[in-house]
């Protein structure tokens, strides 16, 4: 169910739709959009001042378009419906980590795609989506998230270049 409908239903006599009862009912809308909106609603209810959402740099040829559209919908709704919270929307590319060995060869392929895309002046960016963006280690993104949530000047979408800057800033702090 759309959490905005649920929010409106709480203030009217409209029936509230029950959440899915099994995994076959899970959708991009539920997992990407609705869960983020429900968490933002709870955070706002408790007076949280900043809300971080890990979105995505873009879709990819192998992903349904709903994957990225539902992430962008979540960002837009959280920004619009909860202006009292500083919304920070992290848009990482494909993330990899040695603890998940399957991600290493995928990251290598995406790094090659990113390099090729760069050599062609980004002509394939629209087609490749996040697959044409340099992958980042999970730890790099995590460091950037923590750094951004601490920095009150960071809000809105945080794209890959800014993620790298924030992660480097966090790394430098850890060296002091």
């Amino acid at each position: 169910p759309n959490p905005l409908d649920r929010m409106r239903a709480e203030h009217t006599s409209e029936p509230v739709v029950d959440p899915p009862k099994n995994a076959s009912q899970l959708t991009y809308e539920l997992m990407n959009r609705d869960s983020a909106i429900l968490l933002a609603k709870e955070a706002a209810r408790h007076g949280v001042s900043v809300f971080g959402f890990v979105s995505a740099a873009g879709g990819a040829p192998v992903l349904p378009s709903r994957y990225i559209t539902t992430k962008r919908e979540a960002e837009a709704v959280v920004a619009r419906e909860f202006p009292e919270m500083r919304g920070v929307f992290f848009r990482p590319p494909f993330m990899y980590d040695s603890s998940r060995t399957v991600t290493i060869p995928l990251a290598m392929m995406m790094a090659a795609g990113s390099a090729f895309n760069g050599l062609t002046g980004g002509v394939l960016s629209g087609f490749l989506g996040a697959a044409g963006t340099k992958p980042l280690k999970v730890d790099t993104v995590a460091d950037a998230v923590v750094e951004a949530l601490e920095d009150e000047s960071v809000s809105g979408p945080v794209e890959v270049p800014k993620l790298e800057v924030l992660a480097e800033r966090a790394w430098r702090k850890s060296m002091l």
Side-chain angles (χ1 to χ4, degrees), residues 132-147:
T133 305
K134 178 180 97 173
L136 294 178
K137 287 186 74 168
V138 170
D139 290 347
T140 300
V141 175
D143 289 343
V145 167
V146 171
E147 188 67 21

Side-chain angles (χ1 to χ4, degrees), residues 28 58-68 94 106 109-110 125-132:
Y28 286 116
V62 296
L63 291 172
S65 63
R66 285 184 12 255
Y67 172 77
I68 195 64
F94 179 79
L106 289 171
M109 289 184 338
M110 289 185 179
S125 294
F127 171 71
L128 292 175

Side-chain angles (χ1 to χ4, degrees), residues 2-17 41:
N2 182 335
L4 291 179
D5 292 342
R6 175 177 233 117
M7 289 168 55
R8 287 183 192 100
E10 290 173 357
H11 301 294
T12 68
S13 61
E14 296 175 37
V16 175
V17 181
K41 179 183 175 190

Side-chain angles (χ1 to χ4, degrees), residues 17-73:
V17 181
D18 290 331
K21 304 214 181 331
N22 62 51
S24 68
Q25 291 180 293
L26 294 178
T27 64
Y28 286 116
E29 289 77 13
L30 182 65
M31 292 302 297
N32 291 340
R33 183 193 63 210
D34 299 355
S35 62
I37 295 168
L38 289 171
L39 287 170
K41 179 183 175 190
E42 278 301 301
R45 191 168 71 82
H46 291 282
V48 173
S49 62
V50 62
F51 183 80
F53 173 62
V54 179
S55 187
V62 296
L63 291 172
S65 63
R66 285 184 12 255
Y67 172 77
I68 195 64
T69 58
T70 56
K71 293 243 183 208
R72 295 298 185 262
E73 287 171 359

